[in-house]
């Protein structure tokens, strides 16, 4: 594993950078290198990108520090816009008395920071930053609410008060004692472009990404996680072609449910070394403590259990890296999440005169007189006419339960319940796009990807001891999807696009689309005694923290879960991981000398 941390200050004092770097070592004990000058210090674990020359300190993951140094000398903070690929770096310039932090365009690597007086602290791990004696470990109640509402923590807010996280395409420039966040890159969609063969453009972009990911690496040391779509199969074929030898492919199914038959058949046609897995409730129980220990923030995505099983299987096969199609659903709209969000808008495709002069007057009048089916149909039409943020607000699980019914009154006094929905609306209306499809892509790239998808994948890989590979977030693929027509990102468009890519990659290799099955956590919670006991214990401990109402937590397990196992199973998982994170913070705070009363007593006592 790899990571970086450090500080920059005119008043350094006692700032132990080696102590901050302890969480970056990982279970394998990654070597840590340090460097310092009069204004700052850096530590870098498990990566070669450390630079120290003429008062310039750089710790970098994914980018050559020499290149970054040249760009800094010639362009200053604008150097970020000239960088490509997946990276995160910290640059400390003693001569200019300036510092620069940045992450890549998709935020594939996290970078946290905090200003403590005139001192800038930073780390690629929130735990590493919190170990600094000046950082503190108080919990931000608003971030807790955001996590429950969004099922993720996309940033800039984190669960620790004062800590912030750089968003995709952002940098932080410190000069003259003032820290300024800057957006050095934005996704700009070209919606009028019509490519007659978009599959060829996508195939070229993916080939470029695969060659970059496999440069200097043996394909035999790479495993690919196969999901329910052609995106992951195409990725396996491209990585295999780039490496010149077979890769390992892994597909995961669930006991008593979906099996990975389609993925296995595609893998055999590609000639990969394939392995099928079946996981069950016991795997969930075993995964919970591993994911709690490996993830910086609570892992709100139960798919992390599937990812962990695949990563461990890849490691057992001798692979050092696990490649996934993470990002394909967000960029191309080929996930069920985007499909479901776009579906209510189909009513708008009917002729306006028919809707406004016939359907709506008649339906709305009858719905007021005859409740039931007509009233529900009217509500559905009203929802379809609303922009996506309004649909998200109404469809959110927290809105469905009721904020007052879920949270303790004393906790609600500390938060703004509308803040999370306002963040979604700001991203939606701020997108550089006109079409709803591209606005959805922007929303997913800024919220879902950095806050839920990538942390789950990175945490699972870290727990298994493999490095994550994300070819679909390569700059070439991101640029290609910005030029892709909006119609290709809605309805059956993404499935057709990836099926065409697969046919060109492997002629004769057909693919019958099947949505990637979700972890049947809700059903397992009802029938497996050990898993249910773990959930009951976690939610019981969480109730003592005076955040969520005890009667809501009891109702969630006893009545809500049987009514909708998929929806409420996700909620149970989300709250289990929140409690696991709280328990870990309390233990870690005591372990390295942080006073217990320095942690917000409202939520941790």
């Amino acid at each position: 594993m790899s990571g970086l941390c450090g500080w920059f200050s005119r008043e350094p004092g006692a700032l132990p950078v080696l102590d901050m770097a302890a969480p970056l070592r990982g279970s394998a004990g990654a070597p840590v290198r340090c460097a310092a000058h009069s204004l700052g210090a850096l530590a870098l674990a498990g990566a070669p990108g450390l630079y120290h020359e003429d008062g310039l300190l750089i710790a970098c993951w994914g980018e050559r520090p020499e290149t970054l140094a040249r760009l800094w000398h010639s362009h200053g903070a604008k150097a970020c816009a000239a960088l490509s690929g997946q990276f995160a770096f910290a640059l400390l310039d003693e001569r200019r008395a300036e510092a620069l932090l940045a992450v890549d365009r998709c935020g594939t690597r996290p970078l946290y920071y905090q200003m403590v007086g005139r001192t800038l602290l930073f780390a690629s791990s929130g735990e590493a930053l919190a170990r600094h004696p000046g950082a503190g470990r108080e919990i931000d109640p608003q971030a807790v609410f955001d996590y429950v509402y969004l099922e993720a923590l996309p940033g800039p807010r984190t669960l620790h008060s004062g800590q912030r996280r750089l968003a995709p395409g952002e940098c932080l420039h410190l000069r003259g004692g003032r820290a300024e966040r800057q957006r050095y890159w934005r996704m700009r969609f070209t919606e009028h472009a019509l490519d007659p063969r978009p599959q060829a453009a996508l195939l070229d972009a993916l080939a470029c990404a695969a060659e970059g990911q496999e440069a200097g690496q043996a394909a035999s040391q790479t495993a690919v996680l196969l999901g329910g779509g052609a995106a992951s199969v195409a990725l396996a074929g491209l990585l295999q072609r780039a490496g010149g030898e077979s890769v390992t492919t892994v597909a995961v199914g669930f006991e008593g449910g979906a099996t990975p038959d389609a993925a296995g058949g595609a893998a055999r046609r590609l000639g990969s070394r394939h392995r099928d897995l079946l996981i069950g409730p016991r795997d969930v129980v075993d995964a919970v403590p591993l994911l709690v220990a490996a993830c910086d923030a609570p892992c709100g995505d139960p798919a992390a259990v599937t990812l962990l099983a695949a990563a461990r299987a890849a490691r057992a096969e001798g692979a050092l890296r696990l490649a996934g199609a993470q990002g394909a659903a967000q960029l191309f709209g080929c996930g069920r999440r985007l499909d479901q969000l776009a579906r209510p808008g189909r009513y708008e495709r009917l002729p306006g005169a028919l809707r406004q002069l016939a359907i709506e007057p008649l339906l709305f009048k009858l719905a007021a007189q005859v409740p039931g089916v007509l009233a529900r149909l009217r509500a559905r039409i009203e929802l379809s006419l609303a922009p996506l943020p309004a649909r998200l607000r109404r469809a959110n699980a927290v809105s469905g339960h009721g904020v007052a019914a879920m949270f303790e009154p004393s906790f609600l006094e500390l938060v703004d319940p509308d803040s999370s929905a306002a963040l979604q609306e700001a991203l939606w209306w701020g997108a550089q796009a006109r079409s709803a499809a591209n606005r959805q892509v922007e929303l997913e790239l800024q919220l879902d990807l950095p806050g839920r998808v990538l942390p789950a994948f990175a945490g699972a890989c870290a727990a298994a001891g493999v490095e994550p590979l994300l070819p679909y977030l390569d700059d070439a693929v991101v640029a290609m999807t910005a030029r892709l027509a909006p119609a290709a990102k809605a309805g059956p468009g993404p499935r057709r696009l990836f099926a065409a890519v697969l046919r060109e990659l492997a002629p004769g290799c057909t693919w019958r689309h099947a949505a990637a099955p979700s972890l049947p956590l809700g059903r397992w919670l009802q029938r497996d005694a050990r898993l249910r006991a773990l959930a009951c214990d976690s939610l019981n401990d969480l109730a003592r923290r005076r955040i969520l109402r005890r009667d809501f937590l009891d109702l969630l397990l006893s009545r809500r879960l049987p009514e909708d196992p998929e929806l409420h199973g996700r909620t149970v998982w989300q709250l289990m991981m929140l409690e696991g994170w709280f328990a870990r913070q309390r233990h870690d705070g005591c372990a390295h000398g942080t006073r217990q009363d320095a942690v917000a007593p409202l939520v941790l006592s």
Side-chain angles (χ1 to χ4, degrees), residues 440-529:
Q440 290 175 39
V441 169
E442 176 74 9
L443 190 64
E444 293 275 326
L445 287 177
Q446 293 296 321
L447 281 183
D448 194 50
L449 189 69
R452 182 183 68 87
V453 176
L454 293 182
F457 189 53
C461 289
V466 297
E467 288 287 343
L469 289 184
L470 300 162
Y472 276 98
L473 297 181
D474 186 84
D475 290 350
V477 182
V478 173
M480 181 270 161
T481 194
R483 300 189 301 268
L484 189 62
K489 303 172 189 174
R495 295 193 294 272
R496 293 171 180 168
L497 174 62
F498 279 97
V501 168
L502 192 57
R503 285 194 299 270
E504 292 206 11
L505 179 65
C509 182
T510 59
W511 178 261
R512 183 175 56 84
H513 175 77
S518 58
L519 189 78
L521 184 64
R523 290 194 287 106
W524 288 347
L525 279 165
Q526 295 178 74
R527 74 184 193 200
D528 187 85

Side-chain angles (χ1 to χ4, degrees), residues 7 55 60 74 217 224 230 248 305 330 353 356 368 379 395 410 494 516 519 552 580:
W7 54 265
C60 188
S74 58
Q217 307 288 346
V224 181
T248 298
V305 177
Q330 288 72 27
Q356 297 171 14
S410 58
L519 189 78
F552 163 74

Side-chain angles (χ1 to χ4, degrees), residues 17-41:
V17 71
L18 273 176
D19 186 52
M20 290 179 67
L24 305 178
R25 297 175 183 270
S27 58
V32 176
R33 295 186 297 155
C34 301
H37 53 49
S38 64
L39 295 183

Side-chain angles (χ1 to χ4, degrees), residues 284-377:
V284 179
V285 175
D286 294 340
V288 167
L290 296 175
L291 293 170
V292 166
C295 296
D296 261 328
C299 180
D301 191 354
V305 177
T306 303
L307 298 172
L308 177 58
R312 296 177 77 176
R315 184 65 177 173
E317 294 291 327
L320 302 180
R321 299 173 297 278
L322 179 66
Q326 279 68 20
Q330 288 72 27
L331 285 167
F332 296 93
C334 54
R336 290 185 301 166
R337 181 182 176 92
L338 281 176
D339 269 350
Q340 291 173 350
L341 292 176
R343 196 170 297 133
R346 294 176 180 174
Y347 174 73
E348 296 176 288
R349 300 175 187 174
L350 295 176
L354 177 63
R355 290 188 284 112
Q356 297 171 14
L357 299 178
I359 297 178
E360 291 169 15
L362 178 63
L363 177 62
F364 287 8
K365 181 179 180 180
L366 291 176
Q369 300 173 356
V370 185
V373 176
L374 292 180
R376 290 194 295 272
L377 183 57

